[in-house]
Amino acid sequence: YKNPHYAPGRSVNVHLFEWKWDDIATECENFLGPRGFGGIQISPPNENVVLWTYNRPWWERYQPMSYLLDTRSGDEAQFADMLRRCNSAGVRIYVDAVINHMTGEPPENVGTAGSTATFSQWDYPAVPFTWEHFNWPHCVIDGMDYVNDAWRVRNCELVGLKDLNQANEHVRNMIVNFMNHLIDLGVAGFRIDAAKHMWPHDLEIIYNRLNNLNTAHGFPANARPYIYQEVIDYGGEAISRDEYTPIGAVTEFKVGMELSRAFRGNNQLKWLESWGPQWGLLEHSDALTFIDNHDNERGHGGGGAMLTYKEPRPYKGAIAFLLAHPYGEPQIMSSFAFHDSEIGPPMNHLGQIISPSINSDGSCGNGWVCQHRWRQVFAMVAFRNVAGNTGLNDWWSNGFNQIAFCRGGNAFVAFNNDSWDLNQNLQTCLPAGRYCDVISGVKAGNTCTGKTVTVGNDGRAIINVGALDYDMMLAIHIGTESRL
Ligand code: LAG
Ligand code: CA
């Protein structure tokens, strides 16, 4: 359950938050496939309650009404079409699986597929679930439970959301049928929403009943779905991420916390020489790594002061380090712009999501941020693919906030988060030649639109990253996008 089953030569998962299935399919063909992205995390595909009362907030999708595949992102036919097209483009799809709970008791009771429910009676006929399928006695998690009561965190309600009992055989069957339906349609795995709020033993039983990935979509025989469980664990809680690593991968929230701290200038980059488990992080193969996610980028889910698109310079630095370093299985956030932390995606007066437009420079419009289309981000996806399974070597630092390292003999990156220029003769580990820095520009024919780096026969080159440069990093590699 810890193998994302990316197509060969690919890496990096991008969360296309609240995107429509038709738009994702097009993005796979036009951008993500050609650019070497490995996969996409999609928003929950199953029916959720419609909340006009709150002007259709993004979080209505975390209140399931049924397992029908019909949401603002599209219907089942569109979902199936997306899977065919993305898998053909070599890009995998991972589903955000909301299986801990159903809705709360909102003022409206019609779902995106038209289903209704009687919340006060725990009655969801479109699944069907009735009161006997939920946890009793009724209780709601309070803040102290996280510190000292694992039972209550798992058996009481998370923010008032009706808490399913995953020990119940009917509940297991409904969840397994839902997930297997998705696997048969071609998904490669799942983000398990609110995994901390479910018993690992119940989850293990559910995972073991899942089908192998669909070979008609290009997966190898007997491939198990990739499972990354959302467990927020900064230490000091009754429930630990280590309870979940025996059954699947786990979201490593400490990565975003530590890299945000460092790239904001509150911890020196030189310490990153020991980045990985020595920092108290999960083992490499257990870790889904990221800077920000849809919750903490807007102060939900406990927040955590993560860098987001709103602080672009240090954010791009942190993402570049995340992608350049071999540790973990990285994920990138791709957002819509917001000021209000509750507001949903760009929509028209009917509540339909407005598609991103693509500007002439390749960036997005219509209110979509599309971090994955920022040159500094997609260039580092290519960097990671070229680096492949090489290790980290030739670490250099100035003792403060200037660092550099190689990935085998394939790729080299340097960062300058000091207030003075980086101007050094460094070992790049690359064959002699002229390279375009893929951060400050692109290769255009026989020249670079950004910085050019000339590597000598000894692998060394003069590296310049000015303190006032637009970006704090420089990256070169042996891929065609970088070599002149
Ligand atoms: C998650 N991971 O464990 C999601 O990443 C997170 O986005 C979900 O919360 C949460 N768990 C449940 O799946 C989001 C919002 C909450 C919202 C919830 C349900 O962060 O704010 O709660 O989705 O829509 C909302 C209201 C609450 C209310 C609740 C029930 O904000 O005040 O109590 O609905 O009506
Ligand atoms: Ca629960």
Side-chain angles (χ1 to χ4, degrees):
Y1 303 106
K2 296 182 184 178
N3 180 348
H5 295 293
Y6 290 141
R10 294 178 178 272
S11 66
V12 186
N13 175 341
V14 53
H15 179 17
L16 294 183
F17 183 46
E18 288 273 19
W19 278 50
K20 290 185 286 184
W21 309 152
D22 289 350
D23 297 337
I24 291 177
T26 304
E27 193 71 349
C28 282
E29 292 167 346
N30 293 347
F31 189 83
L32 299 170
R35 293 282 180 184
F37 281 76
I40 304 164
Q41 178 184 309
I42 60 167
S43 281
N46 60 302
E47 179 177 22
N48 62 266
V49 68
V50 173
L51 293 179
W52 278 110
T53 310
Y54 307 102
N55 199 31
R56 310 286 320 256
W58 62 268
W59 44 260
E60 68 172 41
R61 297 188 74 156
Y62 291 90
Q63 300 203 29
M65 288 287 277
S66 79
Y67 298 124
L68 296 170
L69 302 183
D70 196 351
T71 63
R72 278 209 277 187
S73 285
D75 61 20
E76 180 163 345
Q78 290 167 316
F79 184 80
D81 182 61
M82 167 183 72
L83 281 156
R84 273 190 299 273
R85 291 165 63 190
C86 287
N87 281 324
S88 303
V91 183
R92 301 314 191 190
I93 301 285
Y94 305 90
V95 166
D96 193 351
V98 185
I99 57 175
N100 170 66
H101 54 261
M102 300 299 283
T103 66
E105 288 201 23
E108 291 159 85
N109 80 331
V110 180
T112 48
S115 303
T116 58
T118 310
F119 307 131
S120 60
Q121 287 170 31
W122 279 257
D123 189 27
Y124 294 84
V127 179
F129 285 139
T130 57
W131 64 271
E132 63 191 326
H133 302 123
F134 293 82
N135 280 318
W136 302 103
H138 174 253
C139 49
V140 178
I141 301 168
D142 68 59
M144 277 310 287
D145 292 336
Y146 288 100
V147 181
N148 58 29
D149 199 330
W151 186 90
R152 285 182 53 92
V153 171
R154 287 167 174 148
N155 289 51
C156 298
E157 290 174 355
L158 167 63
V159 299
L161 299 160
K162 307 289 181 193
D163 203 48
L164 288 165
N165 175 8
Q166 290 81 15
N168 177 283
E169 195 52 30
H170 173 75
V171 172
R172 287 177 180 165
N173 282 334
M174 294 300 103
I175 292 172
V176 167
N177 290 347
F178 164 54
M179 294 173 80
N180 277 339
H181 182 194
L182 298 170
I183 289 172
D184 295 347
L185 287 170
V187 311
F190 303 92
R191 167 193 187 258
I192 305 296
D193 180 71
K196 182 194 283 185
H197 300 278
M198 296 178 276
W199 294 94
H201 173 70
D202 294 332
L203 289 175
E204 183 179 22
I205 289 171
I206 288 168
Y207 302 161
N208 286 335
R209 292 185 191 173
L210 296 177
N211 294 343
N212 290 332
L213 300 183
N214 189 341
T215 52
H217 281 263
F219 296 104
N222 303 314
R224 301 301 291 156
Y226 180 48
I227 290 189
Y228 53 106
Q229 306 163 99
E230 189 229 8
V231 180
I232 304 175
D233 181 3
Y234 297 108
E237 288 193 20
I239 295 170
S240 149
R241 61 194 183 169
D242 301 332
E243 296 173 57
Y244 293 85
T245 49
I247 56 174
V250 170
T251 54
E252 179 50 281
F253 280 78
K254 287 181 183 171
V255 164
M257 181 186 76
E258 295 289 3
L259 293 183
S260 295
R261 212 158 79 82
F263 283 86
R264 264 204 196 98
N266 297 324
N267 192 12
Q268 299 206 333
L269 297 191
K270 68 168 179 186
W271 301 120
L272 293 172
E273 183 169 10
S274 59
W275 183 244
Q278 284 189 62
W279 282 61
L281 306 178
L282 289 165
E283 287 305 312
H284 169 78
S285 59
D286 293 335
L288 187 284
T289 59
F290 52 100
I291 305 300
D292 55 336
N293 76 354
H294 73 278
D295 283 324
N296 58 36
E297 90 166 337
R298 48 179 47 68
H300 275 246
M306 307 305 172
L307 285 168
T308 71
Y309 78 88
K310 295 188 188 218
E311 296 169 81
R313 195 172 187 272
Y315 182 53
K316 284 182 269 191
I319 292 174
F321 183 84
L322 179 83
L323 299 185
H325 198 284
Y327 173 73
E329 202 61 78
Q331 180 173 50
I332 299 301
M333 182 70 203
S334 190
S335 322
F336 54 83
F338 65 92
H339 295 290
D340 172 347
S341 60
E342 318 302 309
I343 201 146
M347 66 172 186
N348 64 21
H349 67 284
L350 296 172
Q352 295 161 333
I353 295 173
I354 297 172
S355 300
S357 56
I358 307 298
N359 301 320
S360 57
D361 67 352
S363 64
C364 290
N366 283 349
W368 297 88
V369 182
C370 293
Q371 291 95 315
H372 67 283
R373 279 178 168 268
W374 296 358
R375 184 184 64 248
Q376 298 88 339
V377 174
F378 69 72
M380 290 308 295
V381 173
F383 178 105
R384 191 176 188 84
N385 292 339
V386 170
N389 57 14
T390 59
L392 187 158
N393 46 286
D394 292 82
W395 176 273
W396 170 85
S397 104
N398 70 342
F400 299 99
N401 291 292
Q402 298 181 353
I403 58 171
F405 59 87
C406 303
R407 293 292 308 277
N410 292 0
F412 167 86
V413 66
F415 296 84
N416 177 14
N417 204 23
D418 278 327
S419 56
W420 62 91
D421 294 348
L422 183 166
N423 190 351
Q424 293 278 342
N425 184 342
L426 297 177
Q427 178 55 254
T428 68
C429 313
L430 300 184
R434 285 164 63 239
Y435 297 84
C436 295
D437 167 28
V438 295
I439 299 295
S440 58
V442 295
K443 187 180 122 178
N446 249 345
T447 56
C448 307
T449 64
K451 299 174 188 169
T452 305
V453 178
T454 305
V455 176
N457 288 326
D458 56 358
R460 302 187 75 90
I462 302 292
I463 303 297
N464 268 298
V465 188
L468 299 177
D469 283 2
Y470 188 75
D471 289 302
M472 64 168 80
M473 61 283 182
L474 173 152
I476 53 178
H477 57 74
I478 59 172
T480 50
E481 317 90 292
S482 176
R483 258 192 123 152
L484 279 175

